[in-house]
Amino acid sequence: MLVLVGCTSNTVAQYRSVNKGVDRKMVLEKINKLRKNGCRCGGERMKPVGEVKWNATLEKSAYTHAKEMQDNNYFSHHSIDGLDVGERLDELGYKWHYVGENLAVGQKSFDETMRDWIKSESHCRMLMNSDMKEVGVSRYGKYWVQHFGTLMPPKTRRTKVTYSEG
């Protein structure tokens, strides 16, 4: 565990200087505009859903995964160590009730990334998932990672571990 904390500290320092390409306010506005208006995911019309709020832990986990994929030249919903998004968030202390992840690679802007996620039924459904209350988005190199989550209610514990991928 101490080794992981050491790696996380270096990642946080790099994160502060590299994640400048993501305008948090603009990203949040675009996601919430889509959620407010509803959209079509595949053949189904999705009703409007509530807004999400920005979460720094979700942003950090998104950054860490994007950086790992860039550094190791791979693309997956699992880390090099085989951890899924829920397990990675557990390591960061995010006590999630619901969690989800959208990935993209190669897009030059967040607008292009959003368009591609909306075109994909599973990614679109994640954007429109009413269970998700928080979001964090990061870009590292050619990789975009979007993490969604909802914290567990106070004084509860998770008994079933599931998550969704876009």
Side-chain angles (χ1 to χ4, degrees), residues 85-149:
V85 63
E87 292 165 323
R88 294 190 312 267
L89 283 167
D90 286 342
E91 286 190 346
L92 291 175
Y94 185 86
K95 305 294 184 198
W96 58 272
H97 183 63
Y98 297 104
V99 66
E101 175 176 74
N102 279 342
L103 303 178
V105 63
Q107 294 80 357
K108 304 282 188 236
S109 68
F110 183 73
D111 287 340
E112 184 181 352
T113 304
M114 269 293 278
R115 280 192 298 273
D116 288 349
W117 281 333
I118 293 166
K119 287 179 194 173
S120 163
E121 186 174 351
S122 62
H123 293 87
C124 182
R125 286 182 180 280
M126 180 59 62
L127 283 159
M128 296 302 296
N129 187 327
S130 64
D131 289 329
M132 302 303 176
K133 307 298 182 196
E134 299 179 317
V135 69
V137 178
S138 191
R139 176 186 186 188
Y140 194 97
K142 63 184 178 180
Y143 296 94
W144 292 87
V145 178
Q146 181 178 56
H147 282 172
F148 288 94

Side-chain angles (χ1 to χ4, degrees), residues 18-35:
V18 177
N19 204 35
K20 292 179 182 174
V22 175
D23 178 338
R24 293 174 189 101
K25 183 179 179 197
M26 179 270 299
V27 165
L28 193 59
E29 285 173 0
K30 289 182 185 274
I31 293 168
N32 282 328
K33 181 178 179 184
L34 178 76
R35 289 171 66 92

Side-chain angles (χ1 to χ4, degrees), residues 30-73:
K30 289 182 185 274
I31 293 168
N32 282 328
K33 181 178 179 184
L34 178 76
R35 289 171 66 92
K36 179 182 178 181
N37 294 332
C39 66
R40 187 169 284 292
C41 294
E44 185 179 348
R45 174 76 182 146
M46 304 298 288
K47 295 182 212 172
V49 295
E51 291 187 348
V52 289
K53 295 183 184 328
W54 195 265
N55 180 281
T57 302
L58 295 176
E59 180 185 20
K60 179 180 172 183
S61 66
Y63 171 84
T64 302
H65 193 55
K67 183 180 184 321
E68 181 181 84
M69 289 190 295
Q70 177 73 28
D71 290 351
N72 294 284
N73 194 31

